[in-house]
Amino acid sequence: ASCLVGSEMCIRDSAMPMYRPLRPAGTLDVPIRQGRYRLHVWEPAEAHDEPAPPAPSGGQEQPLLLLLHGWMDVGASYQFMVDALPEAFMQGRRIVAPDWRGFGHSALPAADHVVFADYLADLDALIDTLSPHRPVDLVGHSMGGNVAMLYAGVRPERVRRLVNLEGFGLPASTADQAPGRYAQWLDEIRDLHRGSLALRGYADAGAVARRLVRTNPRLDPARADWLAQQWAEPRADGQWHLLAEAAHKVVSAQLYRADEVAAVWRAIRAPVLVVEASDNAMAGLWQGRYTLDDFHARLQAVAHARIERLGPAGHNVHHDQPEALAALVCGFLAG
């Protein structure tokens, strides 16, 4: 079978087996606010029962580890990193990766736009449910990293340690951008209801896997095949559709206020590990409007933060370097 990688053609053996998880996740649905969240759950190594939230008395030996995925992703995306964690780290530790609202198999009330603060409220409710009496460890990728950083400043007593994977935030905005932003938001809501922001379908799971590899040429094809079946599903029209709501494509009505973010980051008490990929995604994304140096300057607001770089890797470091990332996460959380 052939697959496109960037602009080049590569050939892979059609008999190559799909990636097989070493530690398959269980799934659990929990009521969160006015909806239901799907959780991917990796139980402690010694556990054999069906996945369930820990008892309020706190029977688990290690802090709960929450893995927060990024935009247009799903909780199962962390499978490769979890498989690479050492057995000693897994002893007595429950790991949970939720599907954010509007992604994966989480089900929340229908909406034609997403309010970023809702992610914080959802995370707060999840921690109330899963670890009400103990601080948690957070790992967040991209959008999930931004949620984790804000939450750690808003609820500093609830976060023990935090790993931010490529969660850089956005360029600073100014008040004079507000009229244009509100107009754009209104236009995109209108476009959503007219169907022009609909997410496209794919002929089969292989087409979804090829899409993943085109987006990230470093993604191993066997992993892409497995991830495609977590990222999308077949529907009545015969096509495979991404497990994501088109409302996520509507721009936020609220400007990104970097001064407010800095104020929240100053309230973070937990040690923070920032993991950056060797490929600087910001250079192509923001075209100089927001740089890695700008992000590092913002990080000065965090009292206890250190930066590690992984490579070769692109933005999806948990796909490109899961073994190296697992070693970093394990060492930091155990430190």
Side-chain angles (χ1 to χ4, degrees):
S2 63
C3 61
L4 286 173
V5 179
S7 59
E8 299 180 2
M9 182 72 76
C10 72
I11 305 297
R12 64 177 287 247
D13 184 355
S14 60
M16 179 186 296
M18 185 185 300
Y19 181 84
R20 178 174 295 179
L22 301 177
R23 295 188 177 105
T27 58
L28 177 69
D29 290 338
V30 296
I32 295 295
R33 301 175 70 198
Q34 282 75 47
R36 171 183 54 78
Y37 252 66
R38 169 63 57 87
L39 310 181
H40 306 266
V41 183
W42 295 269
E43 290 291 339
E46 65 274 14
H48 301 287
D49 297 329
E50 289 296 315
S57 58
Q60 62 193 58
E61 298 175 10
Q62 301 293 335
L64 173 71
L65 173 55
L66 283 172
L67 308 177
L68 310 177
H69 70 77
W71 189 75
M72 288 295 167
D73 204 351
V74 291
S77 185
Y78 280 102
Q79 181 68 57
F80 314 132
M81 186 195 80
V82 172
D83 282 344
L85 291 169
E87 286 298 328
F89 180 83
M90 299 294 294
Q91 292 294 324
R93 187 184 298 271
R94 178 176 279 105
I95 301 176
V96 175
D99 290 340
W100 284 123
R101 58 171 52 229
F103 293 114
H105 292 283
S106 288
L108 284 98
D112 57 12
H113 66 285
V114 177
V115 177
F116 195 83
D118 274 325
Y119 295 123
L120 296 180
D122 291 351
L123 180 56
D124 198 49
L126 276 170
I127 294 174
D128 280 342
T129 299
L130 300 175
S131 186
H133 303 295
R134 297 189 65 186
V136 302
D137 291 332
L138 296 179
V139 173
H141 173 246
S142 193
M143 182 191 82
N146 287 293
V147 176
M149 293 284 284
L150 288 175
Y151 187 79
V154 174
R155 299 279 202 217
E157 73 283 357
R158 307 200 74 176
V159 179
R160 190 188 74 101
R161 285 177 175 257
L162 188 163
V163 181
N164 178 358
L165 312 175
E166 294 261 310
F168 301 119
L170 302 174
S173 59
T174 56
D176 59 3
Q177 295 173 259
R181 172 60 64 85
Y182 279 118
Q184 181 185 0
W185 178 68
L186 292 173
D187 290 344
E188 292 186 3
I189 287 179
R190 181 186 59 200
D191 291 342
L192 179 75
H193 287 286
R194 290 176 174 175
S196 58
L197 292 184
L199 301 173
R200 58 161 293 192
Y202 296 83
D204 51 32
V208 179
R210 290 190 291 274
R211 151 78 187 277
L212 288 167
V213 174
R214 281 198 300 272
T215 302
N216 179 15
R218 287 195 176 92
L219 181 60
D220 176 78
R223 287 174 172 165
D225 284 343
W226 181 87
L227 192 58
Q229 300 200 26
Q230 320 305 314
W231 215 51
E233 66 180 6
R235 293 185 183 162
D237 62 0
Q239 291 197 308
W240 280 64
H241 292 267
L242 303 185
L243 293 170
E245 298 293 337
H248 286 287
K249 297 176 70 175
V250 175
V251 70
S252 171
Q254 302 299 316
L255 296 171
Y256 186 85
R257 296 185 279 265
D259 55 343
E260 292 185 7
V261 171
V264 175
W265 286 10
R266 280 193 291 272
I268 295 174
R269 297 203 298 260
V272 176
L273 173 65
V274 177
V275 179
E276 299 174 357
S278 57
D279 292 359
N280 180 6
M282 297 175 71
L285 184 62
W286 300 118
Q287 300 294 312
R289 291 190 293 126
Y290 180 41
T291 68
L292 204 56
D293 287 340
D294 294 333
F295 171 64
H296 291 165
R298 288 185 188 176
L299 273 179
Q300 298 301 311
V302 182
H304 307 288
R306 85 168 199 257
I307 300 171
E308 295 281 353
R309 183 162 295 182
L310 280 185
H315 183 58
N316 291 322
V317 290
H318 55 316
H319 297 166
D320 297 350
Q321 293 289 344
E323 294 82 10
L325 178 60
L328 271 180
V329 168
C330 177
F332 177 73
L333 296 184

